[in-house]
Amino acid sequence: AQKVTQAQTEISVVEKEDVTLDCVYETRDTTYYLFWYKQPPSGELVFLIRRNSFDEQNEISGRYSWNFQKSTSSFNFTITASQVVDSAVYFCALVDANRDDKIIFGKGTRLHILP
Amino acid sequence: EPEVTQTPSHQVTQMGQEVILRCVPISNHLYFYWYRQILGQKVEFLVSFYNNEISEKSEIFDDQFSVERPDGSNFTLKIRSTKLEDSAMYFCASSETGGGILGEQFFGPGTRLTVL
């Protein structure tokens, strides 16, 4: 079965602190894609990253970085030097490429960055 | 940059009424999707659509729901007789190719449906 677990329901940190959002996934397929989306208070879904199952290289984009560990089925997201504008709900998601193309979302982590 | 658009941004309706949510996918995309997000919960897949037919649907997508691509540009979601529990944000998405390999799904801004 496909499943995405985001164990952290809500996190609060003070601005400029680093914060890591955890994501653990389950799938029987060997070919899959993992995603992170940001949902600000305005409600839209903002695509942040897509990573395929064959590429375990970590990725950095500005203050954002992602750590993909196939051995632990985890795809964690770190925000360095957090800013108030980072306050949002963050969703981790999975697509099994060989099965179908529906996106399976985790329940999300609500991140509060306190000034 | 091309984007998926959705109208209206907010729809308020009475229970039992029919609603049609509209989406304009990115023009060269062939695969279309609807997702739903009940307030405070996760985003859930409803249906995928390709070549003028449903490819897959979730158990949420019962007989009250239907989708259509009436004119080659719009992609609509109809709820025949709305229930209170249909209140949610509905997201449309489209992709150029199906499957996760190449088909990154681009999401619209969502329509917030409120059923009274």
Side-chain angles (χ1 to χ4, degrees):
Chain A
Q2 305 155 286
K3 190 177 175 183
V4 176
T5 302
Q6 294 180 255
Q8 303 150 309
T9 308
E10 204 157 340
I11 300 175
S12 294
V13 300
V14 177
E15 197 174 18
K16 296 183 185 169
E17 286 185 359
D18 299 348
V19 58
T20 295
L21 309 183
D22 298 333
C23 173
V24 173
Y25 62 92
E26 289 176 35
T27 176
R28 282 186 291 227
D29 285 354
T30 55
T31 305
Y32 52 88
Y33 277 74
L34 297 164
F35 301 79
W36 276 95
Y37 288 87
K38 174 182 179 180
Q39 188 174 43
S42 48
E44 73 272 24
L45 287 169
V46 179
F47 167 83
L48 295 178
I49 189 172
R50 179 175 74 161
R51 171 67 72 204
N52 78 55
S53 53
F54 298 110
D55 182 3
E56 283 192 75
Q57 266 195 320
N58 291 333
E59 176 141 350
I60 298 174
S61 175
R63 295 184 297 107
Y64 295 170
S65 62
W66 291 269
N67 185 316
F68 178 25
Q69 299 271 353
K70 242 172 146 173
S71 59
T72 55
S73 298
S74 65
F75 186 44
N76 296 338
F77 172 33
T78 297
I79 302 175
T80 303
S82 59
Q83 300 175 1
V84 173
V85 293
D86 296 327
S87 296
V89 180
Y90 290 86
F91 291 98
C92 181
L94 164 73
V95 169
D96 280 332
N98 293 324
R99 189 185 305 273
D100 49 48
D101 50 2
K102 67 183 179 192
I103 300 177
I104 306 297
F105 286 85
K107 291 186 177 180
T109 297
R110 183 174 297 277
L111 178 63
H112 301 278
I113 308 297
L114 307 171
Chain B
E1 188 175 321
E3 59 183 16
V4 177
T5 59
Q6 290 184 243
T7 54
S9 56
H10 191 186
Q11 172 94 46
V12 181
T13 190
Q14 294 289 327
M15 191 169 59
Q17 295 295 306
E18 175 184 286
V19 294
I20 297 176
L21 309 183
R22 290 184 166 78
C23 168
V24 179
I26 294 173
S27 62
N28 64 330
H29 285 188
L30 300 175
Y31 295 78
F32 313 110
Y33 311 85
W34 283 101
Y35 292 82
R36 179 182 83 173
Q37 184 185 28
I38 294 172
L39 185 65
Q41 297 187 23
K42 68 177 179 181
V43 180
E44 299 173 290
F45 169 80
L46 288 179
V47 66
S48 57
F49 189 86
Y50 169 70
N51 202 25
N52 281 321
E53 60 183 33
I54 290 174
S55 316
E56 186 180 1
K57 59 184 180 180
S58 72
E59 55 194 30
I60 302 169
F61 194 89
D62 62 22
D63 291 343
Q64 291 300 310
F65 290 89
S66 62
V67 289
E68 196 178 30
R69 189 154 160 79
D71 57 12
S73 62
N74 288 285
F75 178 51
T76 61
L77 174 69
K78 183 195 290 187
I79 309 175
R80 259 180 275 282
S81 177
T82 49
K83 304 189 278 282
L84 294 176
E85 53 264 40
D86 294 327
S87 295
M89 180 78 97
Y90 289 81
F91 291 102
C92 173
S94 70
S95 70
E96 190 173 357
T97 60
I101 296 175
L102 296 174
E104 178 187 336
Q105 293 178 28
F106 292 80
F107 282 85
T111 292
R112 183 166 297 286
L113 175 65
T114 302
V115 181
L116 302 175

